Amino acid sequence: VLESLALTYRDAVTGLESILQKQIKVIHIVGGGCQSELLNQMTADACGKIVVAGPVEATTAGNILTQAMAVGDLKSLEEIRAVVRESFSVKSFEPRQTTPWSACADRWRELPSE
């Protein structure tokens, strides 16, 4: 299941890069899924990108901070990002073993999707 998720992230990032005509350098994984260090490392390896994991409570934080901006306590997206950086810890995962994932991705794409 984790390998499938990592390969799905790889396909999604590759698709976004193609559409945007821009290289994505960092993948942010937030919410409950960011708690799996194995998934985070697999994603970094499968995608060949740095993965930043956290915060776990991203949805709640985003809701509260958006409300703070709506009532004028925060003035911009940059201020919201600064509050998140100062309030939550994140962990980075560097790609380590990317080569085996290319062959795995080729085999995975050939599997029936049903």
Side-chain angles (χ1 to χ4, degrees):
V1 171
L2 296 180
E3 289 174 355
S4 178
L5 284 169
L7 291 169
T8 299
Y9 294 154
R10 176 187 171 119
D11 278 355
V13 169
T14 301
L16 284 170
E17 288 176 332
S18 176
I19 291 168
L20 298 172
Q21 296 294 300
K22 179 179 172 183
Q23 183 182 17
I24 295 170
K25 296 179 182 168
V26 178
I27 298 169
H28 291 266
I29 299 178
V30 299
C34 76
Q35 296 178 85
S36 174
E37 291 198 12
L38 179 57
L39 174 59
N40 297 330
Q41 188 59 59
M42 285 179 160
T43 301
D45 292 342
C47 297
K49 314 265 183 207
I50 295 169
V51 169
V52 176
V56 175
E57 296 299 336
T59 302
T60 303
N63 186 333
I64 292 168
L65 294 169
T66 302
Q67 289 182 50
M69 189 170 162
V71 298
D73 292 337
L74 296 171
K75 306 292 183 217
S76 66
L77 182 57
E78 290 76 26
E79 283 188 42
I80 289 175
R81 289 179 175 156
V83 170
V84 170
R85 276 192 303 275
E86 294 169 13
S87 303
F88 299 97
S89 62
V90 297
K91 185 170 182 181
S92 293
F93 296 82
E94 300 276 340
R96 294 189 302 215
Q97 298 178 340
T98 58
T99 305
W101 284 93
S102 293
C104 188
D106 292 340
R107 286 192 315 272
W108 181 76
R109 272 190 227 96
E110 292 173 7
L111 293 173
S113 60
E114 298 174 359

